[in-house]
Amino acid sequence: MPLNLETLRLVAQLHHAYQNRQRDPLTQAFARSSGEEVLALQFEVAERSNTPLTVAVLDIDRLSEVNERHSHPHGDQLLADLPKHIAKTQRQGDMLVRWSGKRFLLMLPNTSLEHARIALERFRKHGFGLRPDGQPVTLSIGVAERQADALASWTALVEKAEARALRVKQEGRDGVRGDDEVQHAHAA
């Protein structure tokens, strides 16, 4: 597909946004403000080029329990370590953003839901580290894709992924939901 002038402008803006991104001081993942800017541009590029754009909301399971039983510094260490574990299997073009307290958002440009599930299962297989009590860190993951979910804005894309992450939490945690079916670790 040939690139028109508007698409080239968006790619230049996207490059500029990546170059000027800010990091969250605790986790060194990208800060939400940077993530929102890049996601808005990624969404526009995906619309114009008619390509998939997937986001995954990664919600750390039982972080408040770690904070209460083992202290907040242990919870902070768990937060700080999570991006390091994800980086070991993350593709170069993907972007991890600290979205809120215990939530991260992973942008997967040019990635279908099926390919996102494969990548997320690779993350889960590799693991996310250990809690202070020796138990594995688990995540409730919600996934949404611009085309498959017929979403008209980046905010709707995030909202869909957040709603699916919440459903995973409600259905037992430690799973991935990209549609109406949850895949839990014990069922995988």
Side-chain angles (χ1 to χ4, degrees):
M1 163 190 260
L3 295 176
N4 63 31
L5 192 56
E6 182 62 20
T7 303
L8 287 173
R9 181 189 64 77
L10 288 170
V11 169
Q13 281 183 308
L14 190 58
H15 176 73
H16 178 75
Y18 270 101
Q19 295 300 314
N20 294 308
R21 58 196 178 233
Q22 295 179 342
R23 300 269 182 177
D24 173 68
L26 176 63
T27 66
Q28 294 305 303
F30 295 109
R32 181 172 177 154
S33 59
S34 295
E36 288 179 347
E37 180 183 2
V38 171
L39 183 54
L41 290 168
Q42 286 280 17
F43 195 91
E44 194 171 342
V45 167
E47 273 189 318
R48 288 186 179 278
S49 60
N50 197 30
T51 56
L53 172 63
T54 299
V55 298
V57 170
L58 316 172
D59 195 332
I60 300 173
D61 294 329
R62 296 184 165 97
L63 181 62
S64 58
E65 182 181 296
V66 170
N67 286 332
E68 290 168 11
R69 289 187 181 176
H70 303 283
S71 78
H72 285 273
H74 283 99
D76 286 351
Q77 189 61 55
L78 192 149
L79 281 165
D81 288 345
L82 183 65
K84 295 171 191 168
H85 290 286
I86 290 172
K88 291 177 184 175
T89 54
Q90 181 179 340
R91 300 176 311 173
Q92 187 173 6
D94 299 341
M95 182 176 176
L96 184 67
V97 178
R98 181 152 184 215
W99 203 247
S100 62
K102 63 180 186 137
R103 283 189 172 184
F104 291 82
L105 183 130
L106 182 62
M107 276 182 249
L108 301 132
N110 297 308
T111 306
S112 67
L113 271 176
E114 183 58 33
H115 287 114
R117 283 184 200 195
I118 292 167
L120 292 167
E121 286 304 322
R122 187 175 60 242
F123 291 151
R124 291 177 70 212
K125 186 176 183 176
H126 181 271
F128 303 109
L130 297 175
R131 296 165 26 135
D133 61 7
Q135 295 297 311
V137 172
T138 62
L139 304 178
S140 295
I141 303 171
V143 186
E145 196 278 311
R146 182 189 72 80
Q147 293 172 317
D149 291 310
L151 299 168
S153 70
W154 70 266
T155 54
L157 186 63
V158 172
E159 288 169 4
K160 178 69 82 175
E162 286 178 325
R164 288 175 173 164
L166 179 60
R167 289 282 307 271
V168 173
K169 285 239 185 258
Q170 293 168 343
E171 296 172 1
R173 298 181 177 89
D174 190 20
V176 178
R177 182 183 198 102
D179 50 30
D180 294 330
E181 184 177 318
V182 178
Q183 296 176 322
H184 289 285
H186 57 278

